[in-house]
Amino acid sequence: MSSSTHQEQYSHQEQYNILARVLNKMYQVEYSKENWELLYKPLMHNLFLQYIPEKARILDLGCGSGQLANHLIKSGYQVTGIDISDQFLVYARQNAPGGEFIQGDLRDIEYSPTFNGIFSKGALMVMMSLEKLEDVLSIVYGALLDNGIFLFDVRREETVKSWGTSLADAEIKTLTIEDDYIWICRSTYDPEKKIMHNFFTVFELVNEQWLRADTNFQGKVFSTEEIKTSLEKVGFTKIEIYQEGKDLGFDGVMDRSIFVCRKPAIVSV
């Protein structure tokens, strides 16, 4: 780095703001128009959009900086996004001005049946117990209209088992180097507690100074059978499970399972 690295300590909020700014830049690339057309649009159509009406109402749980929501809005859907980060929502409102964005925890959603479809990319992984996961699944079920579709992803334990058990032997999952930022993600997994940790170190060039942020996010790994049983417990039916690489044709090593399930229509007698 040609510029000096700023060594002062930043508050948690300031660090999260740095993470949000850099992630917004990364998501602009990941969810670019080209990637949407070639990858995400076909995937969303095959697993989700084909089962809901045109111009349907969609809820994006953990919407981040809103790039996926924006593509759906441009495709004619009415999108509401929820995220716990106020800084992410600043970017979401800029990136997807046609959407509605609400700050809140996934467990605090209060909707009567409203949405034709609900999806979540990565957000359910932070539920640290099966009870908390079931709480969210129950809330999602209640927010869906009859025949509504829920799409979400989780880590697969057989893939995270290869991660190190301590930071000293952590696996580098992501290393991105650009002119104005560097993003490093190291991951560990505790097989006894079934808890994964992602350690993020981010450098961002701002006003010719490199700012640094470090943080750690943890998540719980549940078995496919545990998740399927929880979905059935709250009422979901027609549960389909896919592996990113094996079933969906993603290139490279993919470590997530994707669940697609339906809220059945209640038949009046």
Side-chain angles (χ1 to χ4, degrees), residues 71-116:
H71 287 301
L72 291 169
I73 291 166
K74 288 183 175 180
S75 298
Y77 297 98
Q78 305 172 68
V79 181
T80 299
I82 293 179
D83 203 282
I84 199 168
S85 166
D86 58 346
Q87 188 61 37
F88 260 142
L89 294 182
V90 169
Y91 296 119
R93 294 183 179 107
Q94 294 172 356
N95 294 327
E100 176 188 16
F101 295 99
I102 301 167
Q103 183 182 10
D105 190 288
L106 302 186
R107 290 165 291 179
D108 297 332
I109 303 170
E110 294 184 5
Y111 280 109
S112 57
T114 302
F115 300 98
N116 303 97

Side-chain angles (χ1 to χ4, degrees), residues 138-194:
S138 180
I139 291 169
V140 168
Y141 186 88
L144 280 169
L145 295 165
D146 287 355
N147 289 316
I149 299 296
F150 182 35
L151 167 70
F152 66 97
D153 63 348
V154 295
R155 298 281 187 187
R156 291 189 291 118
E157 186 176 19
E158 56 265 37
T159 60
V160 301
K161 283 180 178 178
S162 64
W163 298 359
T165 56
S166 67
L167 191 55
D169 60 352
E171 178 176 329
I172 296 179
K173 294 294 294 179
T174 310
L175 173 61
T176 303
I177 302 175
E178 298 292 345
D179 291 340
D180 58 345
Y181 70 85
I182 299 173
W183 174 275
I184 305 167
C185 174
R186 294 167 293 168
S187 300
T188 64
Y189 180 62
D190 183 335
E192 293 185 4
K193 297 180 179 179
K194 295 192 174 184

Side-chain angles (χ1 to χ4, degrees), residues 19 174 183-186 198-202 213-217:
L19 293 176
T174 310
W183 174 275
I184 305 167
C185 174
R186 294 167 293 168
N198 288 315
F199 298 89
F200 298 103
T201 298
V202 179
D214 297 272
T215 193
N216 167 29
F217 292 96

Side-chain angles (χ1 to χ4, degrees), residues 4-247:
S4 62
T5 302
H6 197 48
Q7 297 293 335
E8 294 179 9
Q9 294 297 315
Y10 293 93
S11 69
H12 176 76
Q13 184 61 50
E14 288 171 326
Q15 290 195 10
Y16 204 95
N17 287 349
I18 295 173
L19 293 176
R21 285 198 300 269
V22 172
L23 277 172
N24 182 50
K25 295 175 183 178
M26 294 175 69
Y27 290 158
Q28 295 287 6
V29 176
E30 181 175 353
Y31 302 119
S32 66
K33 182 177 180 180
E34 180 181 6
N35 284 348
W36 167 253
E37 293 292 338
L38 293 177
L39 178 61
Y40 290 105
K41 183 178 180 179
L43 179 67
M44 291 288 283
H45 173 78
N46 292 336
L47 298 182
F48 185 65
L49 298 176
Q50 68 169 317
Y51 301 114
I52 62 178
E54 294 182 1
K55 300 181 180 180
R57 293 200 64 182
I58 294 174
L59 179 62
D60 180 355
L61 295 181
C63 62
S65 48
Q67 281 85 356
L68 270 179
N70 186 49
H71 287 301
L72 291 169
I73 291 166
K74 288 183 175 180
S75 298
Y77 297 98
Q78 305 172 68
V79 181
T80 299
I82 293 179
D83 203 282
I84 199 168
S85 166
D86 58 346
Q87 188 61 37
F88 260 142
L89 294 182
V90 169
Y91 296 119
R93 294 183 179 107
Q94 294 172 356
N95 294 327
E100 176 188 16
F101 295 99
I102 301 167
Q103 183 182 10
D105 190 288
L106 302 186
R107 290 165 291 179
D108 297 332
I109 303 170
E110 294 184 5
Y111 280 109
S112 57
T114 302
F115 300 98
N116 303 97
I118 298 176
F119 76 94
S120 174
K121 190 174 188 299
L124 268 63
M125 299 182 201
V126 300
M127 299 299 112
M128 297 306 294
S129 70
L130 204 56
E131 292 75 18
K132 290 180 179 178
L133 176 64
E134 289 177 0
D135 286 344
V136 172
L137 296 179
S138 180
I139 291 169
V140 168
Y141 186 88
L144 280 169
L145 295 165
D146 287 355
N147 289 316
I149 299 296
F150 182 35
L151 167 70
F152 66 97
D153 63 348
V154 295
R155 298 281 187 187
R156 291 189 291 118
E157 186 176 19
E158 56 265 37
T159 60
V160 301
K161 283 180 178 178
S162 64
W163 298 359
T165 56
S166 67
L167 191 55
D169 60 352
E171 178 176 329
I172 296 179
K173 294 294 294 179
T174 310
L175 173 61
T176 303
I177 302 175
E178 298 292 345
D179 291 340
D180 58 345
Y181 70 85
I182 299 173
W183 174 275
I184 305 167
C185 174
R186 294 167 293 168
S187 300
T188 64
Y189 180 62
D190 183 335
E192 293 185 4
K193 297 180 179 179
K194 295 192 174 184
I195 293 177
M196 55 185 175
H197 288 268
N198 288 315
F199 298 89
F200 298 103
T201 298
V202 179
F203 297 92
E204 185 186 22
L205 183 61
V206 178
N207 296 327
E208 298 186 348
Q209 284 190 319
W210 284 97
L211 309 182
R212 174 173 176 165
D214 297 272
T215 193
N216 167 29
F217 292 96
Q218 65 179 5
K220 184 79 170 180
V221 177
F222 302 105
S223 70
T224 298
E225 191 57 39
E226 284 176 321
I227 297 172
K228 186 173 183 291
T229 299
S230 295
L231 287 166
E232 292 171 339
K233 183 177 178 180
V234 302
F236 283 105
T237 60
K238 296 184 179 179
I239 300 167
E240 299 179 354
I241 306 165
Y242 303 91
Q243 293 182 18
E244 281 181 317
K246 177 182 176 182
D247 299 321

